[in-house]
Amino acid sequence: MNSIFYRVFSRYAFIILILSVVIFLFSFTIIRTNHINTLSSSLENLAISLEDRVLELIRQKDYSQLDAFVKEKGKHINARITVIRKDGVVLADSEADPAVMENHRDRPEIMESITGRIGRSVRFSTTVQTEMLYIAMPLLQNSDITAVLRLSLFLEDINTLLATLRNRFLMITLIFIAVAMVLAFYFARDLSKPIKELVSTSRRIAEETLDITYQDNPQNEITFLANNFDEMAAQITRLFAKTNRQKEELRAVISAIQEAVVVLNPEGKISLYNNSFASLAKRNNLKHVPIEDVLPDKFTTLLRHVNQENRYYTREIELDGQIYLCSLNCLKTRKEIVVLLHNVTELKNLRQMKRDFIANVSHELRTPLTSIKGFIETLLEDENPETTRYLNIIKRNTDRLIHIVEDLLILSEMEKRDFTLKIDTLNPVHLIENVSSIFKQKMEAKGLELILNLPDHLPSLEADEFKLEQLFVNLIDNAVKYTETGSITISARADETSIYFSIADTGIGIPEDDLNRIFERFYVVDKSRSRRVGGTGLGLSIVKHIVLLHQGYISVNSEKKKGTEFLITLPLRHTTLLT
């Protein structure tokens, strides 16, 4: 039996029974506790009223009169009165002979009252062989506790009263449960009846029987819901049609994209692709085909890398002699990967032609420039002042051209696809100290201070030592050129994965508008000053290439007339990039 009526009624019945039992138990416990608390307060008040007379008889040491007094008062107040000395000896008792009573010092209420508080206890009395409520009040003489006045009541009467209350409360609870069960029965029946009608109606809608009519039904809300089933069915049909139309439009847009597009499910199988990807794969019917059956192993390695990092990724891959810019993006909600393959072969060829042109021109220029420089140095041996001045100008510009050519050759070499770093394990502290020593004479000539903040125990670094030397030479050389007063500070620190370098100066700084372009080739912030100090505009471009080749990151902070700081982050361990 699994009907709506049975499930609703059984749950309501269970809740009613649980609540009734909990309320009964807690209410009875609260009533008993409050009644005992009230009796305790009454006993405390009685003890206070007897305190003066008991203390007077104790001071007089008239214990026989004290015993007679408590026996008389005990009959009048219908409570047992006991006077106990501080050491536990019973001095007087309204129900028994104190001479034969045992020492009471270990009674819990007596122990508590000796500490200066009013003791309270509900326990079984061994003297009168029944359960009793005890209140013990300390009696003070000259701020010292002399004795304890204890009043107690038999709990038999209380338990009888509570039993009566419990029976009455149980009867009320049973009546409440019965009424609640009846109400739950009618509620479950009234709720299940229209729901059964709705189930029948929905079954007919599923069978495409949409001409539904109803008799008079008092359940207006249910009737309104049922009468809207027709409109709901029509709306669902319209929504399906709209969804299919949008799906076709999306499919047409994806098919029209010239770049190859493919969507992979979490298992690495193709779930969606366009015509360009089918042409690239040279086959059709690619749906549900594993991507490793279509693209080379290098792509599947890249795909595993994206799955591990769960982020956007872009790399170049080679397919059938063509170079593609492969962009992969994870759809976190569906755990799918969207792959876009853009053919950049022509663009790469144009860039390679530009690099080859620059490299060839640089090679062709280097030899005649070297010859010109040699002849100039020969002519400078002539001590004619007029000739020497012009020759120095020619020599300075020739040196600048030679530096440009050398920097272009360095950039061309690093931009080659087959360029590889010569990775060694090196000590970064020794490397910085060696490079900074090159500029010691220049800095002393300008009165600049070199500050090295290098920890004693920096971890070793896997890198190309020659390229890193080139990086620091360019950055320190720039700092020296553009700093007239102050200092140049080189700092380093490391964590578990990376090492962080900082080269800061107190020079002229870089305007904020120029910060985004300083790593571009031939970009110079102050052209006149750059020509004067011999800048080529290629040094920072070389620096950035070296950092990227080491899979690092470089940034710059600068404020005009206050100085510049270059921040470099390099991984401690070198890994081969996926290309």
Side-chain angles (χ1 to χ4, degrees):
M1 186 177 183
N2 198 25
S3 65
I4 292 291
F5 169 78
Y6 172 74
R7 283 182 287 174
V8 172
F9 178 73
S10 62
R11 283 163 175 75
Y12 271 100
F14 178 75
I15 293 172
I16 291 168
L17 289 174
I18 291 296
L19 288 177
S20 299
V21 171
V22 171
I23 292 172
F24 174 76
L25 294 177
F26 273 92
S27 299
F28 183 73
T29 303
I30 291 171
I31 291 170
R32 186 176 189 275
T33 302
N34 287 338
H35 195 65
I36 290 176
N37 288 337
T38 302
L39 291 175
S40 298
S41 299
S42 299
L43 290 178
E44 288 179 18
N45 293 330
L46 286 172
I48 292 171
S49 65
L50 299 173
E51 179 181 8
D52 292 340
R53 180 58 180 165
V54 171
L55 276 173
E56 181 183 354
L57 293 172
I58 290 174
R59 280 195 296 268
Q60 296 173 3
K61 296 184 179 182
D62 191 351
Y63 299 129
S64 59
Q65 182 65 30
L66 176 63
D67 188 59
F69 173 75
V70 298
K71 282 182 168 57
E72 180 186 355
K73 289 296 181 182
K75 293 176 182 178
H76 285 90
I77 65 175
N78 197 26
R80 183 181 179 186
I81 305 171
T82 308
V83 180
I84 301 109
R85 208 164 58 193
K86 185 177 180 181
D87 57 2
V89 174
V90 178
L91 300 178
D93 187 85
S94 61
E95 300 291 337
D97 183 4
V100 298
M101 294 177 67
E102 60 184 5
N103 192 290
H104 278 45
R105 183 175 175 81
D106 60 346
R107 303 298 193 270
E109 68 277 4
I110 303 302
M111 294 173 66
E112 186 175 359
S113 66
I114 289 174
T115 63
R117 300 190 300 270
I118 294 179
R120 175 180 168 180
S121 176
V122 176
R123 59 182 177 78
F124 185 81
S125 173
T126 58
T127 304
V128 295
Q129 296 298 309
T130 187
E131 189 179 23
M132 301 190 73
L133 167 65
Y134 294 96
I135 295 296
M137 186 180 73
L139 300 175
L140 303 177
Q141 266 189 340
N142 299 326
S143 300
D144 292 329
I145 297 174
T146 301
V148 174
L149 176 59
R150 187 182 71 177
L151 278 74
S152 56
L153 285 175
F154 295 100
L155 290 183
E156 290 180 354
D157 297 336
I158 300 174
N159 291 333
T160 302
L161 174 63
L162 291 175
T164 303
L165 290 174
R166 181 180 59 209
N167 293 334
R168 291 180 180 177
F169 194 74
L170 179 60
M171 182 63 67
I172 294 171
T173 302
L174 292 175
I175 294 172
F176 168 76
I177 291 174
V179 173
M181 287 292 187
V182 172
L183 293 176
F185 174 84
Y186 283 106
F187 177 79
R189 189 193 64 176
D190 292 343
L191 181 65
S192 63
K193 183 178 179 181
I195 292 177
K196 288 180 180 178
E197 294 179 3
L198 282 177
V199 171
S200 176
T201 302
S202 64
R203 185 180 297 112
R204 281 183 284 167
I205 290 177
E207 296 171 354
E208 299 184 0
T209 307
L210 302 179
D211 54 340
I212 301 167
T213 57
Y214 283 90
Q215 303 298 324
D216 292 338
N217 194 330
Q219 299 293 332
N220 294 329
E221 291 82 359
I222 302 297
T223 304
F224 177 78
L225 177 63
N227 289 335
N228 280 317
F229 265 41
D230 289 342
E231 179 60 28
M232 182 186 70
Q235 182 69 11
I236 289 173
T237 303
R238 289 194 294 270
L239 288 175
F240 270 117
K242 182 179 179 181
T243 302
N244 289 330
R245 187 169 61 253
Q246 291 176 343
K247 185 178 180 180
E248 291 300 322
E249 291 173 356
L250 179 62
R251 185 173 296 169
V253 170
I254 293 175
S255 298
I257 296 175
Q258 295 301 311
E259 287 78 12
V261 179
V262 60
V263 180
L264 307 177
N265 63 19
E267 289 76 33
K269 295 181 179 180
I270 298 172
S271 60
L272 181 66
Y273 62 95
N274 65 353
N275 294 334
S276 298
F277 183 79
S279 300
L280 177 64
K282 297 178 182 178
R283 57 186 287 192
N284 292 317
N285 300 323
L286 291 169
K287 203 160 187 180
H288 306 303
V289 174
I291 192 65
E292 57 263 25
D293 294 348
V294 180
L295 295 178
D297 293 339
K298 187 176 289 186
F299 175 81
T300 55
T301 303
L302 179 61
L303 187 63
R304 284 195 298 270
H305 201 67
V306 173
N307 278 326
Q308 290 172 1
E309 297 189 5
N310 197 25
R311 65 179 179 87
Y312 177 79
Y313 221 77
T314 302
R315 283 289 181 271
E316 289 181 2
I317 63 172
E318 186 174 342
L319 301 172
D320 296 332
Q322 300 290 305
I323 300 172
Y324 290 87
L325 181 63
C326 180
S327 302
L328 300 96
N329 195 17
C330 296
L331 302 178
K332 296 181 180 179
T333 54
R334 301 183 60 179
K335 296 183 179 179
E336 294 182 331
I337 296 178
V338 180
V339 182
L340 179 66
L341 295 164
H342 179 59
N343 194 329
V344 293
T345 306
E346 292 185 9
L347 180 61
K348 296 292 288 186
N349 289 338
L350 286 173
R351 288 182 179 176
Q352 188 60 42
M353 288 173 61
K354 183 184 74 171
R355 293 192 192 104
D356 292 342
F357 172 76
I358 292 173
N360 292 333
V361 169
S362 300
H363 278 293
E364 293 298 325
L365 285 174
R366 184 162 59 176
T367 301
L369 283 172
T370 304
S371 300
I372 292 170
K373 182 179 179 182
F375 283 116
I376 291 171
E377 289 174 348
T378 303
L379 291 172
L380 281 172
E381 294 176 1
D382 184 2
E383 297 183 357
N384 186 335
E386 187 68 21
T387 305
T388 300
R389 187 169 69 87
Y390 291 119
L391 289 174
N392 281 327
I393 295 172
I394 296 170
K395 182 178 181 296
R396 185 170 65 251
N397 285 282
T398 303
D399 288 339
R400 187 164 181 265
L401 283 173
I402 291 172
H403 289 154
I404 292 174
V405 169
E406 289 175 349
D407 287 346
L408 283 172
L409 287 172
I410 293 170
L411 276 174
S412 299
E413 183 70 20
M414 288 191 295
E415 288 176 343
K416 289 181 180 178
R417 292 196 66 194
D418 57 352
F419 178 79
T420 56
L421 296 171
K422 296 179 181 178
I423 302 299
D424 292 312
T425 301
L426 54 93
N427 186 322
V429 175
H430 292 167
L431 185 141
I432 293 174
E433 289 176 345
N434 292 337
V435 173
S436 60
S437 64
I438 299 172
F439 299 91
K440 184 177 180 181
Q441 187 176 356
K442 283 186 179 181
M443 295 178 69
E444 288 177 352
K446 296 183 73 172
L448 300 177
E449 181 185 3
L450 176 64
I451 302 172
L452 298 179
N453 292 329
L454 306 174
D456 295 332
H457 302 291
L458 272 179
S460 58
L461 174 66
E462 291 182 2
D464 187 321
E465 185 171 3
F466 177 74
K467 291 301 178 187
L468 282 193
E469 284 180 353
Q470 224 171 11
L471 179 150
F472 285 109
V473 165
N474 282 338
L475 290 178
I476 298 173
D477 185 52
N478 272 1
V480 173
K481 284 178 181 177
Y482 297 104
T483 303
E484 299 300 329
T485 59
S487 62
I488 295 171
T489 303
I490 304 174
S491 306
R493 63 179 180 86
D495 57 22
E496 295 179 355
T497 59
S498 303
I499 188 166
Y500 307 90
F501 297 102
S502 167
I503 295 92
D505 62 56
T506 57
I508 61 174
I510 303 170
E512 186 176 354
D513 295 340
D514 296 305
L515 286 175
N516 292 331
R517 299 191 60 190
I518 60 172
F519 294 108
E520 296 178 10
R521 294 184 184 185
F522 298 109
Y523 187 80
V524 177
V525 176
D526 187 342
K527 294 180 174 59
S528 61
R529 184 181 180 92
S530 180
R531 284 193 296 270
R532 189 166 64 251
V533 298
T536 65
L538 293 170
L540 291 180
S541 182
I542 293 171
V543 166
K544 185 172 183 179
H545 269 78
I546 293 172
V547 171
L548 293 178
L549 285 171
H550 284 84
Q551 306 159 37
Y553 176 77
I554 184 169
S555 62
V556 58
N557 299 319
S558 185
E559 190 172 350
K560 199 170 181 182
K561 296 182 181 180
K562 289 190 176 181
T564 303
E565 180 184 21
F566 285 90
L567 302 169
I568 301 167
T569 302
L570 298 177
L572 290 173
R573 301 292 170 260
H574 183 81
T575 56
T576 303
L577 283 172
L578 292 169
T579 58

